[in-house]
Every structure is written in structure tokens, then in C-alpha cells.
């Protein structure tokens, strides 16, 4: 088997199929936001049920990434991908046809189970399909560019569907794409597995799932409802379970995770960077979307269309990443990507209540382009840190860091923005506003807008102006914090990784490495 053979047309078409599957997984995380009003009117969920409808999918996905990475390495990645795709299509149909909140919650949980194998499996398959280092980096850059753009295209697709169909259509769109993936996968994608991995470490899988789920739930609870014993207990329990998981992996006969990977500065640094950049993107995007709708007064679909303005910059970043990531040392290139993100956040620091939307989107575009630069190289470092037969487990660690970063970013930057809003609104007290309405107006920009809508004349205008000023101040402070976090991380990683050469594939373990099953002429 030639480990440096160039990929041909079959591999590039296979990459397109893999990317399409990954894109649907990403879209399903956020597209339900647009369908929530119509779904709520139809199913009438309680407040706790609505939260679980929104959260059970990403919670389940995050908790199962590491176990599913191991399963793919063990039984075969193509087999797991096809199984996950079939289950995702079935779960999508169940979600679309749900007639009760409980049924929708169960369907969303099943979607999370089905989605968990896809992303680490896709990355691991890219590792096997593209043995040439330059082609692999180009493939990863293209895959990353599509997924990064999904944050802009997702709301637009959701809006278009909801303008013409019922809320369940946001799930049904998954089914034909998943059928296409299942049909084409046996012809375009190679099989690759490592039967010597032994039996699944079931206690380790349970510990991994429980640890990730508890931490993500606690962090999100802290962000949404502020300090509470429940949130802190959940985080503490998750950290304890995580410590127990690590201890078990040190002694398990067939560990889910090769802890030796973390001895590599490049690998551990990449995981840390993933936490930071994904947290920044999610946290700042959350505030920017609210700014577009609550401060500039856009409808959700209009705001989604404006978000497409960032796409040309992201599209330009993909070939730049593929070209220069093979010429610049990893530490310097990763630092450059984070600097680009910091410049974007720096622009958002200067946003005011009357800023032009193009100025805002320029900042968002730079954040997204910098993320693409970082994520593409991080994925390559992670994949080549492990031999091909362990690539699924390595990719699962990176994707788990994505999910933790999302939760931490939501909590950190959301809390900063909300704290600044509360501080500014504390001194706002129009005389004609009742105490309950004033409390609601000081609680969030959504509350301010709702209360102002019930008032008339100068009082409504004064309250709305104060709320918009306060929210914009919160966005500015969050953006400034992001500049600091990204800057410190960029300098630290440039220093720690200063001796790292451009990533090259880790040699396969001769005792473990097996030829791809796709080499079988019958396939």
C-alpha cells in the first residue's frame, strides 16, 4: 500500500459526499431555532420541555463522540457512517412527525446518538483517503470551509423552508441527503478498521458520556440562569467523572482514548486552541445575532440573509489555508489565524447602536475566516498525531473539544454581555413604567423590547434607546474580552509550538496496522 499515493477523482467525490453529511449534522444543531415559534404553537411544550427539545441533541452528541470514535476504529468507519446515517434519517422522520413534546424530545435525543459517529468518522476517513500531505490539507480546508459557512446558511435554509412548509420540514430535508450518502458510500468510501482494539471499555464509555454531559449541562445552566447549586454541582460532578475516566484509561486493557497523544505539544495545544476558537465564535455570534435583531431591528430571516455577507471572505480563506499551512510552522500559522479572529473581534468592539450592518459583518467575516485557518490545521495535526487505525479516536477528542468550547463560549461571553446590560440598565427608571415591567425591561434586551412595545410616546423611545445602548455596550465588552483571550492564546501557542515542524503523518504501528478493507476486489 503506497502511503503517499495521490488521491484521484473518486476520493474527491467521496469528500463531497462526506462533507454533505457533516453539513447536515451541523445544520441540525441550529436550524430548530427558526422553527421554535411554530413548533411551540403546535405542540405547546412547557418551559422545561422546550429547553430539552433544544438541548438534548447537542448534549447527547457531545457525550457520545469519544465512544463512537473508538467504535468506528474497531468495527469499520464506513460501516458506522452508514449506520449512523440511516439512524439519522429515521430520527429526522420521527422528529418531523412528532405530535407531542415528549416524542420530539426522544427524536432529538436519537438524532444526537445518530450524529455522534459522523464527524469523527468523516475526519478519520479523510485521513485514510488522502495520504498525500498537501492533498489532505486541501481536503480538510475545503471540509472546514463548508462547515464554517453552515453558521450562515443554516438560518437561511430554515427560513426558506418555514416560509413555505410546516415546522417539521426542517427535519425532513435531512432524509434525501442521508439516503444519497448511504447509496454512494459503498462505492466511493474505503473501509478501514482495527480489529485488534479488543472489547469496548463499557465502564469507560459510561464515564466519558456522563462527564461530558454533566459539564456541558452545568455550564449552560450557569449561562442561562446564573449561579445556582444545580449548575455548580453538575460541573463538579462532571469534573470528578472526567478524572475517573482518565484514571480508568490509564489501566484499561483496551482504552477508549490513547492518553499518550496528550504528551505531544502539537496535539494538546490543538485541543486547547479548539476550545478557545469555538468558544469565541459561538459566544460572539450569539451576541451579534441578537444585536442585528434587537438593536438594528431586523427580522430573523433578514438577519440570516445579511450573515451571508461573510461568505466571500470565508471562501477566500480556504485556499489561503491550504497553500500557506504547508509553508509556515504550525505554531506561527495557528497564531496568525487567532490574530485574524482577534482583529474581527476588535472591529466589533467599535460597534455602536447606529453602526452599519456591513461594518458588523466585516468583523464576523474575519472571525469566521480566522476560525477556518485554525480549524483546518488543527484537524490535520490531530489526525496525523495518531496512526491511521486510531484516527477516529483522535478526531473524537477534537470534536469533543468543539462541543465543550461551544458551551463555554455561550456561558462566558453571554454572561459578560448580560452583566454589562444589567449594570447599564440598573439606572434606567422611567416614571410611568410599573415595577414588574421595569424588572422585565432590565432583565434582557428581549424584555426591554417587549415592554417598550406596550408603551407609547417618549417613554417607549427612551426605554428602547437605553436598552439598545446597554446591549451594545455588553457586545463591546465581550468582543474586547475575546481580543484578549485570543491574543494571549496566540502568543502562548506560538511560543509552545515554536519547535514543531509542519505536520507529517504519524507512522502506523506495524503490529496493529491493517490494509483498508476497501482493497478487497469484491468491493
Amino acid at each position: 500500500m503506497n502511503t503517499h499515493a495521490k488521491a484521484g477523482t473518486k476520493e474527491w467525490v467521496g469528500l463531497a459526499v462526506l462533507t454533505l453529511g457533516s453539513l447536515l449534522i451541523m445544520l441540525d444543531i441550529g436550524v430548530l431555532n427558526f422553527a421554535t415559534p411554530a413548533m411551540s404553537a403546535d405542540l405547546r411544550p412547557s418551559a422545561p420541555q422546550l429547553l430539552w427539545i433544544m438541548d438534548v441533541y447537542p448534549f447527547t452528541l457531545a457525550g457520545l463522540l469519544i465512544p463512537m470514535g473508538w467504535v468506528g476504529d474497531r468495527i469499520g468507519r464506513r460501516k458506522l457512517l452508514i449506520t449512523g446515517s440511516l439512524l439519522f434519517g429515521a430520527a429526522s422522520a420521527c422528529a418531523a412527525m412528532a405530535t407531542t413534546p415528549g416524542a420530539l424530545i426522544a427524536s432529538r435525543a436519537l438524532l444526537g446518538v445518530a450524529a455522534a459517529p459522523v464527524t469523527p468518522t468523516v475526519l478519520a476517513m479523510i485521513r485514510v483517503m488522502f495520504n498525500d500531505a498537501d492533498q489532505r490539507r486541501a481536503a480538510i480546508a475545503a471540509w472546514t470551509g463548508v462547515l464554517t459557512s453552515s453558521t450562515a446558511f443554516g438560518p437561511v435554509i430554515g427560513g426558506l423552508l418555514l416560509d413555505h412548509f410546516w415546522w417539521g420540514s426542517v427535519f425532513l430535508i435531512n432524509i434525501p441527503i442521508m439516503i444519497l450518502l448511504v447509496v454512494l458510500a459503498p462505492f466511493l468510501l474505503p473501509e478501514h478498521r482495527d480489529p485488534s482494539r479488543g472489547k469496548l471499555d463499557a465502564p469507560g464509555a459510561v464515564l466519558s458520556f456522563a462527564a461530558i454531559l454533566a459539564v456541558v449541562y452545568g455550564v449552560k445552566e450557569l449561562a442561562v440562569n446564573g449561579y445556582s447549586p444545580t449548575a455548580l454541582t453538575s460541573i463538579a460532578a462532571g469534573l470528578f467523572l472526567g478524572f475517573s475516566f482518565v484514571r480508568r484509561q490509564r489501566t484499561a486493557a483496551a482504552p477508549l482514548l490513547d492518553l499518550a497523544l496528550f504528551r505531544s505539544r502539537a496535539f494538546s495545544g490543538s485541543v486547547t486552541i479548539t476550545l478557545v476558537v469555538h468558544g469565541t465564535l459561538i459566544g460572539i455570534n450569539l451576541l451579534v445575532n441578537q444585536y442585528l435583531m434587537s438593536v438594528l431591528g431586523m427580522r430573523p430571516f433578514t438577519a440570516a440573509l445579511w450573515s451571508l455577507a461573510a461568505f466571500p471572505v470565508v471562501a477566500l480563506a480556504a485556499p489561503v489555508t491550504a497553500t500557506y499551512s504547508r509553508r509556515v510552522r504550525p505554531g506561527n500559522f495557528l497564531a496568525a489565524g487567532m490574530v485574524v479572529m482577534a482583529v474581527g473581534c476588535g472591529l466589533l468592539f467599535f460597534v455602536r447602536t447606529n453602526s452599519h450592518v456591513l461594518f458588523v459583518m466585516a468583523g464576523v467575516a474575519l472571525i469566521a475566516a480566522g476560525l477556518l485557518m485554525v480549524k483546518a490545521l488543527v484537524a490535520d495535526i490531530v489526525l496525523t498525531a495518531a496512526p491511521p487505525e486510531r484516527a477516529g479516536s483522535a478526531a473524537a477528542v477534537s470534536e469533543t473539544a468543539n462541543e465543550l468550547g461551544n458551551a463555554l463560549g455561550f456561558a462566558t461571553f453571554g454572561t459578560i454581555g448580560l452583566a454589562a446590560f444589567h449594570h447599564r440598565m440598573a439606572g434606567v427608571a422611567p416614571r410611568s413604567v410599573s415595577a414588574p415591567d421595569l424588572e422585565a425591561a432590565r432583565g434582557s434586551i428581549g424584555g426591554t423590547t417587549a415592554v417598550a412595545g406596550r408603551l407609547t410616546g417618549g417613554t417607549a423611545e427612551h426605554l428602547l434607546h437605553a436598552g439598545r445602548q446597554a446591549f451594545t455596550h455588553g457586545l463591546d465588552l465581550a468582543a474586547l474580552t475575546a481580543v484578549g483571550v485570543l491574543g494571549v492564546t496566540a502568543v502562548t501557542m506560538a511560543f509552545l509550538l515554536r519547535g514543531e515542524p509542519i505536520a507529517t503523518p504519524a507512522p502506523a504501528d506495524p503490529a496493529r496496522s491493517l490494509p483498508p478493507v476497501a482493497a478487497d476486489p469484491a468491493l
Side-chain angles (χ1 to χ4, degrees):
M1 176 180 166
N2 184 1
T3 58
H4 298 286
K6 292 274 189 178
T9 302
K10 177 181 176 181
E11 285 76 17
W12 288 106
V13 176
L15 175 67
V17 174
L18 289 174
T19 302
L20 199 57
S22 296
L23 180 61
L24 284 179
I25 301 301
M26 294 297 297
L27 292 178
D28 217 64
I29 294 176
V31 74
L32 187 60
N33 291 333
F34 270 72
T36 298
M39 178 271 294
S40 298
D42 186 18
L43 302 185
R44 299 183 182 277
S46 65
Q49 286 175 325
L50 182 59
L51 286 175
W52 277 110
I53 288 171
M54 303 300 295
D55 292 340
V56 70
Y57 175 79
F59 284 0
T60 309
L61 171 62
L64 289 175
L65 283 169
I66 289 177
M68 287 299 178
W70 185 95
V71 171
D73 288 344
R74 175 64 179 81
I75 71 169
R77 294 160 192 160
R78 187 178 67 188
K79 182 185 296 183
L80 185 63
L81 180 67
I82 291 174
T83 302
S85 299
L86 287 171
L87 185 59
F88 196 86
S92 297
C94 292
M97 303 303 175
T99 56
T100 65
L104 185 54
I105 291 170
S107 299
R108 291 276 287 170
L110 189 59
L111 281 168
V113 174
V118 174
T119 301
T121 300
V122 166
L123 279 171
M125 294 189 82
I126 290 175
R127 170 73 165 89
V128 175
M129 292 164 63
F130 296 91
N131 293 299
D132 179 78
D134 290 344
Q135 285 191 321
R136 187 180 60 254
R137 293 189 190 104
I140 292 174
W143 175 79
T144 305
V146 173
L147 295 195
T148 303
S149 302
S150 69
T151 57
F153 285 104
V156 174
I157 294 171
L160 287 173
L161 288 172
L162 292 170
D163 275 352
H164 297 88
F165 306 101
W166 94 113
W167 62 266
S169 62
V170 301
F171 296 109
L172 287 182
I173 192 176
N174 299 332
I175 296 176
I177 304 302
M178 286 305 179
I179 291 175
L180 182 66
L181 193 155
V182 169
V183 170
L184 295 179
F187 302 99
L188 295 173
L189 305 178
E191 184 61 287
H192 200 281
R193 58 176 177 258
D194 179 16
S196 65
R197 294 290 308 254
K199 294 182 178 180
L200 175 67
D201 177 20
V206 172
L207 284 172
S208 168
F209 178 81
I212 298 298
L213 190 64
V215 170
V216 172
Y217 174 79
V219 168
K220 190 160 187 178
E221 181 73 14
L222 201 63
V224 174
N225 298 318
Y227 169 82
S228 71
T230 301
L232 295 184
T233 300
S234 181
I235 293 172
L239 294 175
F240 174 77
L241 291 169
F243 175 75
S244 301
F245 170 74
V246 171
R247 289 195 62 182
R248 178 168 181 82
Q249 296 309 289
R250 293 182 185 276
T251 58
L256 290 174
L257 190 60
D258 183 4
L259 297 179
L261 289 173
F262 289 92
R263 296 173 189 160
S264 163
R265 285 187 176 184
F267 184 87
S268 56
S270 296
V271 173
T272 302
I273 290 170
T274 297
L275 280 169
V276 172
V277 297
H278 274 268
T280 301
L281 177 74
I282 292 298
I284 297 300
N285 260 3
L286 170 72
L287 296 174
V288 168
N289 288 338
Q290 287 182 284
Y291 171 87
L292 295 177
M293 291 182 283
S294 298
V295 177
L296 297 187
M298 294 183 181
R299 294 189 305 111
F301 187 58
T302 303
L305 288 175
W306 270 109
S307 67
L308 295 178
F311 179 72
V313 179
V314 175
L316 179 63
V320 169
T321 299
T323 300
Y324 287 98
S325 62
R326 63 175 184 253
R327 301 179 183 177
V328 181
R329 287 185 179 274
N332 294 337
F333 193 84
L334 291 171
M338 286 183 280
V339 168
V340 172
M341 293 185 71
V343 171
C345 292
L347 289 180
L348 296 180
F349 172 69
F350 294 100
V351 166
R352 301 294 179 262
T353 56
N354 59 349
S355 293
H356 195 284
V357 64
L358 285 177
F359 180 79
V360 179
M361 296 317 302
V364 172
L366 288 174
I367 294 172
L371 175 76
L372 189 151
M373 293 173 61
V374 171
K375 185 171 174 61
L377 183 55
V378 160
D380 189 55
I381 290 173
V382 167
L383 290 178
T384 54
E389 62 273 9
R390 299 295 179 92
S393 296
V397 175
S398 178
E399 294 307 307
T400 301
N402 287 355
E403 298 302 322
L404 288 175
N406 292 346
L408 289 171
F410 181 84
T412 302
F413 294 106
T415 299
I416 291 171
L418 193 59
F421 179 85
H422 289 164
H423 179 73
R424 281 291 183 95
M425 290 297 288
V428 177
R431 294 181 181 179
S432 58
V433 179
S434 66
D437 278 351
L438 185 58
E439 182 179 358
R442 289 173 174 172
S444 67
I445 184 63
T448 305
T449 304
V451 172
R454 296 194 293 268
L455 302 175
T456 57
T459 302
E461 185 177 343
H462 169 71
L463 183 62
L464 195 57
H465 178 73
R468 288 172 172 173
Q469 289 275 13
F471 182 85
T472 304
H473 176 63
L475 171 60
D476 294 344
L477 286 183
L480 183 61
T481 303
V483 170
V485 171
L486 289 166
V488 170
T489 306
V491 172
T492 302
M493 290 303 162
F495 176 76
L496 290 178
L497 304 180
R498 65 191 184 281
E500 291 289 334
I502 294 176
T504 54
D509 183 348
R512 294 183 177 274
S513 183
L514 294 173
V517 178
D520 186 342
L523 299 177

